[in-house]
Amino acid sequence: MRKILMINALCLVSLTTLLGQTVENRIAPPVNYIRETGDEHSFTSYLRQLPLLPKGSKVLLYNGQEKRNQAAAYAVIDMEIGNRDLQQCADAIMRLRAEYLWAQKRYGEIKFNFTNGFPAEYKKWAEGNRIKVNGNNVQWYTAGGKDYSYKTFRNYLNMVFTYAGTASLSKELLTIPYTSLQPGDVFIKGGSPGHAVIVVDVAIHPKTKKKVFLLAQSYMPAQQIHILVNPANHSLSPWYELTETDSGYLYTPEWTFEKKELKRFK
């Protein structure tokens, strides 16, 4: 009986430790800034509720090794990334968007283009079709019955990660003014090399109306998604300040973006 009580107590401590480990609950906005309330079913809400690994966790690569530049990460998102070098920068953003839509059962909206322009639609995949790639020739073929399980969904994403990237995703997204930034928007430079990071949260100062935001990324090789530090403003980090001009640059730990490279899912 005593052993059972001890085990139960340990479980309780573990659960208590894990409670509140989300982007929203762990990463408080700067003093006098607040998060604006929104629809609990929105992409903003999904991103804010992303679970985080305990403080001090290292960013791991797909093979279990530690990311070389640990200083880039403020916190690590608790989400499996598979054991293949697939979920890199743009892939992580497609993963988050697809996970949100899948959880909402908005299956028809889950679609990403391959680099050659081929539209990979999740609903076709879930209805039993698969994709055959032969060089630049890509086509659907019938492979089985209907299956909307999470396992099948993840297999679909691995196919997307293999043949899509920053070059294709940048063409799918809508370019928007930097000053209109909101959660779910993406800074992206398409190409090879290219990179992409996603805005996971925004907070506003009620009086001045100034805004700050959080960024997350994966990188190469495939690695756990992590919240980025702000290398240009250590006192504000991990938050970034939204300036009042659309021109200039955004400095992140491992990439410099032009502000005009901000885009949004349609």
Side-chain angles (χ1 to χ4, degrees), residues 136-150:
N136 205 42
N137 182 26
V138 186
Q139 59 185 1
W140 290 100
Y141 68 93
T142 303
K146 183 186 301 186
D147 183 359
Y148 283 84
S149 70
Y150 187 76

Side-chain angles (χ1 to χ4, degrees), residues 42-218:
S42 67
F43 193 31
T44 295
S45 180
Y46 170 80
L47 293 170
R48 285 175 174 170
Q49 295 307 313
L50 285 171
L52 300 177
L53 291 172
K55 289 183 180 180
S57 296
K58 302 290 187 181
V59 180
L60 300 182
L61 307 181
Y62 69 95
N63 57 11
Q65 296 180 3
E66 292 184 5
K67 173 184 171 73
R68 181 172 297 180
N69 182 16
Q70 293 291 328
Y74 180 83
V76 185
I77 292 173
D78 187 3
M79 179 180 289
E80 58 81 22
I81 61 169
N83 58 6
R84 299 166 61 192
D85 189 9
L86 292 178
Q87 190 175 297
Q88 299 180 2
C89 55
D91 309 300
I93 292 167
M94 292 186 283
R95 171 79 182 276
L96 292 174
R97 182 64 178 177
E99 288 274 358
Y100 161 69
L101 293 173
W102 190 85
Q104 295 288 320
K105 298 184 186 296
R106 291 161 58 180
Y107 304 132
E109 298 177 51
I110 305 174
K111 181 186 75 68
F112 302 100
N113 293 337
F114 288 178
T115 302
N116 70 351
F118 178 83
E121 303 163 63
Y122 167 66
K123 198 166 184 180
K124 273 192 175 182
W125 184 280
E127 291 292 321
N129 302 289
R130 293 295 179 267
I131 300 171
K132 182 179 180 180
V133 179
N134 183 11
N136 205 42
N137 182 26
V138 186
Q139 59 185 1
W140 290 100
Y141 68 93
T142 303
K146 183 186 301 186
D147 183 359
Y148 283 84
S149 70
Y150 187 76
K151 180 180 179 180
T152 298
F153 169 67
R154 280 292 284 116
N155 289 338
Y156 159 80
L157 287 178
N158 282 341
M159 174 63 76
V160 170
F161 298 162
T162 302
Y163 295 104
T166 56
S168 56
L169 183 61
S170 64
K171 294 176 183 177
E172 293 183 53
L173 303 179
L174 178 68
T175 300
I176 58 170
Y178 169 77
T179 49
S180 70
L181 174 149
Q182 67 184 35
D185 289 345
V186 179
F187 287 96
I188 184 167
K189 172 67 174 179
S192 181
H195 191 43
V197 299
I198 185 169
V199 179
V200 294
D201 205 354
V202 172
I204 186 170
H205 192 292
K207 292 184 179 180
T208 66
K209 302 305 178 183
K210 288 185 175 181
K211 292 183 178 182
V212 292
F213 57 95
L214 294 175
L215 297 173
Q217 71 166 21
S218 176

